[in-house]
Amino acid sequence: MKKRDFLTTFDLSSNEISEILHRASAVKLNPSSAPAVLAGGTVGMLFDKSSTRTRVSFEVGINRLGGNAVFLTSSDMQLGRGETVADTARVLSRYLSAMVIRTYAHRSVEEFASHAKIPVINALTDLHHPCQALADMLTIQEHKGGFGVKIAYIGDGNNVVHSLVQAAARLGSSIYIACPEGHEPDGGIIAHARASSTAEIVVMRDPVEAARNADVLYTDTWVSMGQESETAERERIFHDYQINDMLLSVARPDCIVMHCLPAHRGQEITDSVMDGPRSVVFDQAENRLHAQMALMEFLLSSL
Ligand code: CP
Ligand code: NVA
């Protein structure tokens, strides 16, 4: 069978996403039911950007599936000295069972995947964060009992919201994205999500209007990795795009608050919301592990 990659959520059908989330819930309830799909195998983890959750949850998940992880960075490999992505992919495919990659240009993971003989998983690029979206939908399912909800995403039109909108809309959630002018999500990604679902996808300016009657309030950093030189300007532009008690007050009383983390407390989210009773951010972080284990089980057992 042809190997499967997970570079964007569109690499899975909506039925396959549901199946993986179902499996993630089952293994979360009964961890000993995790199959040893990686027994004797090793997964490469190439990370060119910092990570806490993604790195550790993958390493733990790989171990629980019977495998080992080898942590790599481009600068320590011959990649950093000019060996091509294609040759690196061909060589690593001879040793490894799968590859997890976090890097800058989305094109680099596509190029790696096109030359690799093993499944390639996107652990975040500048454009997408599909593993995050799987954990996000698992968290919404657990806390809301299903996907028929209104999600309001407040902040930067970045990698996290790109993957969230692609997954959430296909599972039937409506999503309102409030962002400042010039920081909207990618138009092509939004158009693709709209063409693939009947869900409401609205891009707007006003965070209060977006948050009104929302079931889920979601935010992410104003300054993503690689944008550090724009920090001062972004802190000014995004000043009003904060999840705080006022914004929470216009959402539904049983609204949950989500953040992919790491949070910049006092910027995109206040302490009182992050630490308050509506916050599910640590359940969401835990779900990275369960969702990724189910994803690896799916990709490796379909080989
Ligand atoms: N949410 C997330 O991907 O976190 P890390 O950057 O810590 O992996
Ligand atoms: N948008 C953030 C997500 C971090 C998990 C970034 O790319 O830095």
Side-chain angles (χ1 to χ4, degrees):
M1 228 190 302
K2 194 176 171 301
K3 63 114 177 181
R4 300 276 300 268
D5 300 310
F6 186 56
L7 308 188
T8 78
T9 66
F10 274 101
D11 286 324
L12 299 173
S13 68
S14 42
N15 282 343
E16 287 170 336
I17 295 178
S18 300
E19 187 188 319
I20 287 169
L21 298 183
H22 185 76
R23 187 68 196 133
S25 298
V27 176
K28 181 174 181 176
L29 265 176
N30 182 7
S32 62
S33 71
V37 284
L38 275 167
T42 302
V43 176
M45 308 248 309
L46 174 56
F47 276 55
D48 291 331
K49 290 178 173 178
S50 305
S51 174
T52 298
R53 281 143 287 270
T54 309
R55 176 179 177 177
V56 177
S57 58
F58 263 110
E59 290 200 17
V60 170
I62 289 162
N63 284 320
R64 289 193 188 176
L65 295 173
N68 288 304
V70 56
F71 189 77
L72 308 160
T73 55
S74 291
S75 57
D76 292 330
M77 297 168 72
Q78 299 291 7
L79 256 179
R81 297 181 58 252
E83 185 168 17
T84 66
V85 170
D87 287 348
T88 306
R90 290 181 184 112
V91 171
L92 294 184
S93 296
R94 304 286 180 114
Y95 310 136
L96 301 171
S97 304
M99 191 73 188
V100 176
I101 304 180
R102 169 170 285 199
T103 193
Y104 293 86
H106 189 71
R107 180 72 205 117
S108 303
V109 290
E110 289 176 338
E111 190 183 355
F112 194 103
S114 74
H115 295 282
K117 297 268 185 286
I118 53 177
V120 176
I121 298 174
N122 177 1
L124 179 148
T125 61
D126 289 344
L127 214 50
H128 294 281
H129 197 1
C131 294
Q132 182 68 52
L134 287 183
D136 295 344
M137 297 318 292
L138 180 60
T139 309
I140 290 172
Q141 187 174 47
E142 283 175 348
H143 283 274
K144 292 279 135 200
F147 301 120
V149 293
K150 172 183 174 179
I151 303 172
Y153 175 92
I154 310 298
D156 190 20
N158 62 15
N159 45 8
V160 166
V161 74
H162 289 159
S163 292
L164 180 67
V165 73
Q166 286 187 338
R170 280 193 297 148
L171 293 175
S173 309
S174 60
I175 177 157
Y176 286 63
I177 302 166
C179 47
E181 190 178 355
H183 295 278
E184 297 85 2
D186 180 271
I189 288 173
I190 295 294
H192 189 195
R194 284 193 177 123
S196 315
S197 97
T198 53
E200 241 184 326
I201 302 173
V202 182
V203 179
M204 56 199 296
R205 291 275 166 265
D206 186 350
V208 178
E209 280 317 305
R212 201 171 296 287
N213 297 321
D215 301 291
V216 177
L217 284 183
Y218 196 124
T219 191
D220 182 18
T221 182
W222 296 338
V223 187
S224 284
M225 290 179 277
Q227 298 174 333
E228 289 78 5
S229 65
E230 301 167 25
T231 300
E233 192 195 350
R234 282 177 168 269
E235 285 176 7
R236 182 178 54 74
I237 292 171
F238 285 97
H239 182 266
D240 297 331
Y241 290 80
Q242 181 187 64
I243 300 189
N244 51 32
D245 290 316
M246 185 280 291
L247 208 65
L248 200 52
S249 74
V250 303
R252 289 176 60 93
D254 59 353
C255 174
I256 56 169
V257 175
M258 299 179 67
H259 190 311
C260 60
L261 305 181
H264 303 77
R265 290 165 174 262
Q267 294 192 3
E268 75 275 3
I269 191 164
T270 57
D271 281 332
S272 68
V273 173
M274 174 109 172
D275 300 327
R278 314 281 7 135
S279 169
V280 300
V281 300
F282 298 110
D283 290 344
Q284 186 184 356
E286 177 186 331
N287 281 338
R288 296 293 307 277
L289 170 65
H290 308 298
Q292 287 156 197
M293 283 180 68
L295 171 70
M296 287 188 281
E297 182 184 333
F298 176 86
L299 295 176
L300 290 156
S301 41
S302 56
L303 283 177

